[in-house]
Amino acid sequence: MTSDVAVAAPREAYVWTWLPDRAEPVVAGRLAPTPQGLQFNYGRSWLARDDKVPLYLPELPLEPGVLPLPTGLVMPGCLRDAAPDAWGRRVILNRVLGRAGHDADPAVLDELSYLLQSGSDRIGALDFQPSSSAYVPREGGGATLEELLQSAERVERGLPLTPALAQAIQHGNSIGGARPKAALDGDGRKWIAKFSASTDVQPVVKMEFIAMRLAALAGVDAAPVRLVQAGGKDVLLVERFDRVAQADGRWRRRALVSALTLLELDEMMAAYASYEELAEIVRHRFTRPRATLRELFARLVFNILCGNTDDHARNHAAFWDGARLSLTPAYDICPQVRTGQEATQAMKILGDNRFSRLMVCVDAASRFQLSEVQARSIIDGQLRMVRRHWRGVCDEARLGEAERNALWGRQFLNPFALQGYGEA
C-alpha cells in the first residue's frame, strides 16, 4: 500500500567522516541528485588537507568535480553502505508518518531523506548532514534495553512512537538489516541489540547466538556476543567492531565497506555476488591476503555447517584505512528456516555453483590458495568443534531439548551439507 503523504525531498546532503585516528568528524564532500543518480564530489577544503584519504577506492578517487558512478549503480556503494536498510527505514517512516508509516511504500521518502533522517551512530565512519559547516549528531542515548525493545515492538505493530521512545530508537535506525535492532552502550562497550520479530516461528535470537558462539569456538574470527533478557524476551547483543575506545573516553570510528561495494554491485545485482570473485579481490587488495583467504574460506564452511544461507554480500565487510582493506570480524551468522534437504548459499561459491555442500568448498579450495588437504583440515576441525561444543553452547542459550533436536541435523550439520564428504 502506498501513502499519499507528501514529503519534501532534500536537494543535497553533506558527507562527514572520521579520519583514521581522529575522534572528531570533518566534512568530506557533497552528495546530490543528478540525471545519473546520487553523485558525490569532494569539497575543496577536503582536497586541500594534508591528511586527506579517499572515502573508498576505486569508487571515489581524490579528484575535483562530480565523480562518475560505477556501472549500474545509482549512488556510490561506499555511501550506500552507511544508509539504513529495511528495519531502519521502517523506524524512520514511523517517526515521519506516524500510523500511516506502517503501510507506506518506502519510496515515499527518497534516499537523501533516509540518509538525513537516520541516526548518526551508523556503521562505519560516515555521517550525513544538511550543513557543510556545522556537525549536529542525530542520536538517542541513555535508553534502557527495555525501552529499545518497547520501541521496536511498536514499530513492528505500526503504532506511533512517543517522543521519548522515538528518541530511544533513533540511536540505531541507521544499522543495516531487516530485523528489529538498536544500538546500545553498556559495560564500557558498544553493542548492537537484536530483538525477536513477531513473525518468528523459531527462536531466531537464540539460534544466532548459538551460531556465533560456535563459529568462534570453531576458529572463525566472529564478533563477541551475549544473550540477555529484556521484558521477558531474549535479546542478542553483538559487540561493535567499528568503534575503538580512546583513552579520553571518546570513540574512534573505523571506516568499512561491504563486500557488495567491493564487488561493485547493488541490491538488485546481489545474486551475482561470488565468493570466488571476492577471493580474487582479497588476493590483490587486502593486507595479509593468504591469512584472509583462509579466514574467508572458514566462514564459508561454517555458514554451510550451521545452515546460514543468508550469507549475502552485505553480510561480509572490510575495514578501509584509506589505502588498504582488511576483513572485519564475522557477523550476522544466523541459521535460516529450513524444511527440505537441498539448500543454496546467497553467494555463488565456484562458477555458478552455490549448493550448500562441503564438497563444493573442497572443489573451490584453490581459489582461496588452499590445497585440498588444507581445506579438509579446516572442515574437519570445524566439524569436531561443533560436535564437541554443541550441548554446552545450547546450555548457554537455555535452549530446550525439543528445540535442539529441531535444529540438529536440519540447520546444523544437515545431511545435504555432508553429502559426498568423507571425514578423515
Side-chain angles (χ1 to χ4, degrees), residues 308-377:
N308 176 33
T309 54
D310 192 37
D311 57 337
H312 56 78
R314 278 215 185 282
N315 282 345
H316 300 275
F319 295 119
W320 168 251
D321 66 3
R324 300 287 289 176
L325 295 157
S326 56
L327 204 61
T328 71
Y331 58 96
D332 283 358
I333 303 176
C334 185
Q336 300 298 298
V337 175
R338 187 166 177 170
T339 54
Q341 291 289 309
E342 187 173 294
T344 55
Q345 298 304 118
M347 287 174 54
K348 296 186 286 187
I349 301 172
L350 183 62
D352 289 328
N353 192 336
R354 61 176 82 231
F355 280 117
S356 308
R357 296 178 59 233
L358 295 176
M359 281 309 300
V360 179
C361 298
V362 173
D363 292 341
S366 63
R367 306 302 195 274
F368 299 85
Q369 294 188 345
L370 296 170
S371 67
E372 180 175 339
V373 171
Q374 291 171 319
R376 285 182 173 273
S377 176

Side-chain angles (χ1 to χ4, degrees), residues 134-399:
Y135 180 77
V136 182
R138 300 177 299 278
E139 296 183 350
T144 66
L145 196 52
E146 287 74 14
E147 288 171 326
L148 294 172
L149 176 62
Q150 185 182 354
S151 301
E153 288 176 340
R154 290 185 70 86
V155 170
E156 270 213 298
R157 291 159 57 193
L159 300 176
L161 297 173
T162 65
L165 290 181
Q167 180 75 0
I169 202 73
Q170 168 79 1
H171 196 42
N173 66 13
S174 52
I175 297 169
R179 294 184 57 79
K181 60 178 64 67
L184 180 73
D185 295 353
D187 300 329
R189 291 185 281 182
K190 286 185 175 287
W191 306 88
I192 295 171
K194 306 180 78 169
F195 309 112
S196 58
S198 58
T199 54
D200 289 345
V201 296
Q202 290 185 297
V204 175
V205 170
K206 288 182 177 180
M207 288 163 58
E208 184 168 350
F209 171 80
I210 291 168
M212 290 288 288
R213 284 282 292 117
L214 285 174
L217 291 167
V220 172
D221 178 21
V225 293
R226 290 173 53 192
L227 187 66
V228 299
Q229 283 214 326
K233 297 184 178 180
D234 291 312
V235 180
L236 177 69
L237 300 183
V238 184
E239 187 170 0
R240 294 184 66 163
F241 45 73
D242 62 335
R243 298 290 185 267
V244 180
Q246 305 287 86
D248 60 5
R250 294 185 295 178
W251 293 86
R252 179 167 62 86
R253 305 192 181 198
R254 299 193 68 182
L256 54 83
V257 291
S258 71
L260 203 61
T261 293
L262 296 176
L263 294 165
E264 298 186 6
L265 302 173
D266 65 10
E267 279 78 7
M268 300 299 292
M269 299 183 283
Y272 298 103
S274 157
Y275 279 100
E276 190 176 7
E277 292 180 20
L278 183 56
E280 183 70 18
I281 293 171
V282 169
R283 279 197 289 272
H284 294 288
R285 302 190 57 206
F286 276 61
T287 59
R288 302 176 63 243
R290 187 173 290 276
T292 302
L293 286 169
R294 187 187 189 284
E295 172 68 19
L296 183 61
F297 181 82
R299 295 183 188 188
L300 166 60
V301 169
F302 190 81
N303 282 330
I304 290 174
L305 291 182
C306 78
N308 176 33
T309 54
D310 192 37
D311 57 337
H312 56 78
R314 278 215 185 282
N315 282 345
H316 300 275
F319 295 119
W320 168 251
D321 66 3
R324 300 287 289 176
L325 295 157
S326 56
L327 204 61
T328 71
Y331 58 96
D332 283 358
I333 303 176
C334 185
Q336 300 298 298
V337 175
R338 187 166 177 170
T339 54
Q341 291 289 309
E342 187 173 294
T344 55
Q345 298 304 118
M347 287 174 54
K348 296 186 286 187
I349 301 172
L350 183 62
D352 289 328
N353 192 336
R354 61 176 82 231
F355 280 117
S356 308
R357 296 178 59 233
L358 295 176
M359 281 309 300
V360 179
C361 298
V362 173
D363 292 341
S366 63
R367 306 302 195 274
F368 299 85
Q369 294 188 345
L370 296 170
S371 67
E372 180 175 339
V373 171
Q374 291 171 319
R376 285 182 173 273
S377 176
I378 292 169
I379 295 170
D380 291 345
Q382 289 194 12
L383 284 166
R384 283 195 304 272
M385 297 306 285
V386 168
R387 289 172 175 140
R388 180 182 301 170
H389 293 287
W390 169 253
R391 296 202 66 84
V393 173
C394 286
D395 289 343
E396 288 182 47
R398 303 181 301 278
L399 194 69

Side-chain angles (χ1 to χ4, degrees), residues 1-54:
M1 182 183 298
T2 59
S3 171
D4 58 2
V5 178
V7 180
R11 293 180 298 175
E12 61 190 9
Y14 289 94
V15 182
W16 291 66
T17 189
W18 282 255
L19 283 159
D21 302 320
R22 299 292 182 91
E24 298 296 336
V26 291
V27 66
R30 175 177 178 265
L31 185 68
T34 70
Q36 286 70 47
L38 289 177
Q39 290 186 268
F40 175 80
N41 65 277
Y42 286 107
R44 283 178 292 182
S45 62
W46 178 265
L47 292 175
R49 295 181 67 98
D50 292 334
D51 58 352
K52 63 183 177 293
V53 296

